Amino acid sequence: MAKLSQEDLLAQFEEMTLIELSEFVKAFEEKFDVTAAAAVAVAGPAGPAAAAEAVEEQDEFDVILTGAGEKKIQVIKVVRELTSLGLKEAKDLVDGAPKPVLEKVAKDAAEKAAESLKGAGASVEVK
């Protein structure tokens, strides 16, 4: 059997119907013990660029209390205002810092909450 060039093979595939091509791929996978899904992994290097774009377009933020500071009581009051926590739960959250105060909120709400907590003397991160 003569060896076919890449162009000859592509010409043969062009003439096949989708069903015939699908059957060929299945037979190829069985014969050489491979999967066509591995070919998709080759396209993977484009993924990090897409992931970087997704990070830039983040629309949900977490407000994380990293420290209560000197005015712990004021921070507890602000935490209670921002959340629906009771006094004990808010105190436990402040005592257990670093802990998230708000999760998956809009950028504006996260910035306002961070400013309120900073104004009360807390250390805050917005992620």
Side-chain angles (χ1 to χ4, degrees):
M1 179 174 172
K3 186 174 180 180
L4 296 174
S5 70
Q6 194 173 24
E7 291 80 26
D8 293 336
L9 283 171
L10 290 173
Q12 288 295 317
F13 290 137
E14 264 182 349
E15 295 173 10
M16 297 174 93
T17 66
L18 287 177
I19 294 173
E20 292 171 332
L21 189 57
S22 174
E23 290 171 355
F24 170 78
V25 169
K26 287 178 187 174
F28 187 88
E29 288 175 345
E30 289 174 11
K31 172 86 174 169
F32 296 105
D33 194 28
V34 295
T35 60
V40 175
V42 173
E53 289 176 15
V55 171
E56 292 172 10
E57 297 175 10
Q58 182 179 358
D59 60 351
E60 291 182 338
F61 296 86
D62 295 342
V63 179
I64 302 184
L65 178 69
T66 56
E70 304 245 339
K71 300 178 183 177
K72 186 170 148 183
I73 294 172
Q74 295 300 327
V75 174
I76 292 171
K77 288 180 181 179
V78 172
V79 168
R80 289 192 66 204
E81 290 172 10
L82 295 172
T83 65
S84 60
L85 296 176
L87 181 60
K88 182 182 181 331
E89 292 84 7
K91 181 184 179 301
D92 291 343
L93 187 144
V94 172
D95 288 340
K99 291 222 175 184
V101 177
L102 297 173
E103 294 179 324
K104 298 182 180 178
V105 295
K107 185 176 183 177
D108 295 340
E111 289 173 353
K112 286 179 185 177
E115 288 302 315
S116 297
L117 287 165
K118 286 178 185 174
S123 308
V124 180
E125 272 184 31
V126 177
K127 292 185 179 182

